[in-house]
């Protein structure tokens, strides 16, 4: 009689369904990442090229209405006779300008207010926090309308409105993170040793 050894009876098993689905999810994520980076890179490349060269003037209507793609117009023309490839390049430039400008404004204002609120004590901290809460609750469209009414309907006004609307969210996150850092032991030790705030 042979004794049944559980170690001898176990054979290498095939990968489970959950492991296979996890591998597939990772592969899909990498494809999505590659596709997204490729599209974003093409937009940035078109925007950079548009600063130096455009096939036609953006308001040139000499191409004929709804012309098909060809040697003169790579993507054809629209119903006004404007070159569509020129419009795509101009739109890419506007998208990059609006994105970078609004993020720069949001980061500058948000980080400044968040750090000030984190360092502030008492009523100043409460005031800055309440201001950030009000700015978060304020509708972005209404803020944009107020800025356009005060200035004019330009790309700069839209960038300013988006940047100010997002600065409250950035400020709130920075305030929480800065408060967490200020509560660390090495900060307390530095304060008790007489180190300056700077």
């Amino acid at each position: 009689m042979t004794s049944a050894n559980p170690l001898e009876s176990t054979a290498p098993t095939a990968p489970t369904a959950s492991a296979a689905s996890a591998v597939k999810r990772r592969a899909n994520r990498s494809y999505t990442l590659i596709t997204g980076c490729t599209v974003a890179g093409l937009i940035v490349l078109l925007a950079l090229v548009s600063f130096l060269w455009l096939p036609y003037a953006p308001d040139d209507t000499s191409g004929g209405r709804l012309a098909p793609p060809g040697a003169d117009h790579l993507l054809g023309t629209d119903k006004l006779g404007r070159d569509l490839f020129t419009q795509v390049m101009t739109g890419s430039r506007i998208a990059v300008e609006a994105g970078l400008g609004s993020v720069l404004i949001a980061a500058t204002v948000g980080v400044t207010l968040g750090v000030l609120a984190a360092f502030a004590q008492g009523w100043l901290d409460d005031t800055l926090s309440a201001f950030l809460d009000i700015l978060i609750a304020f509708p972005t469209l209404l803020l944009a309308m107020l800025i356009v009414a005060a200035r004019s309907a330009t790309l700069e006004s839209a960038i300013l409105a988006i940047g100010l609307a997002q600065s409250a969210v950035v400020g709130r996150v920075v305030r929480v993170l800065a408060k967490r850092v200020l509560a660390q032991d090495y900060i307390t030790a530095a304060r008790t040793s007489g180190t300056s705030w700077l």
Side-chain angles (χ1 to χ4, degrees):
M1 277 183 61
T2 59
S3 61
N5 189 350
L7 294 177
E8 293 177 355
S9 63
T10 58
T13 58
T16 62
S18 61
S21 65
V23 170
K24 187 180 282 188
R25 276 197 307 271
R26 275 197 296 271
N28 287 339
R29 264 186 297 211
S30 61
Y31 290 142
T32 306
L33 177 66
I34 291 170
T35 304
C37 289
T38 303
V39 171
L42 285 174
I43 291 173
V44 172
L45 180 64
L46 283 175
L48 293 175
V49 171
S50 72
F51 282 108
L52 305 173
W53 173 80
L54 284 172
Y56 296 92
D59 55 353
D60 183 7
T61 58
S62 63
R65 295 181 69 246
L66 301 175
D72 292 336
H73 303 283
L74 293 178
L75 299 179
T77 60
D78 63 5
K79 61 183 179 181
L80 299 177
R82 298 175 298 188
D83 181 61
L84 285 179
F85 188 61
T86 302
Q87 301 301 317
V88 169
M89 292 179 72
T90 306
S92 300
R93 179 172 62 194
I94 291 171
V96 170
E97 286 178 356
L100 291 178
S102 58
V103 166
L104 186 63
I105 291 172
T108 304
V109 176
V111 169
T112 303
L113 288 177
V115 169
L116 286 177
F119 275 96
Q121 300 293 329
W123 65 271
L124 185 57
D125 182 22
D126 295 339
T127 303
L128 288 173
S129 300
F131 175 72
L132 290 174
D133 289 339
I134 291 170
L135 201 54
I136 288 174
F138 204 76
T140 307
L141 184 59
L142 184 57
L143 179 63
M145 291 169 62
L146 289 173
I147 291 175
V148 166
R151 303 181 71 203
S152 58
T154 61
L155 178 62
E156 288 78 16
S157 298
I159 292 172
L160 183 62
I162 296 170
L164 288 179
Q166 296 304 313
S167 65
V169 179
V170 174
R172 203 71 163 129
V173 173
V174 168
R175 177 184 175 274
V176 171
L177 294 177
K179 286 272 191 190
R180 191 177 301 166
V181 170
L182 290 175
Q184 295 292 320
D185 290 339
Y186 72 93
I187 298 290
T188 306
R191 284 179 178 171
T192 55
S193 66
T195 306
S196 66
W197 279 103
L198 184 59

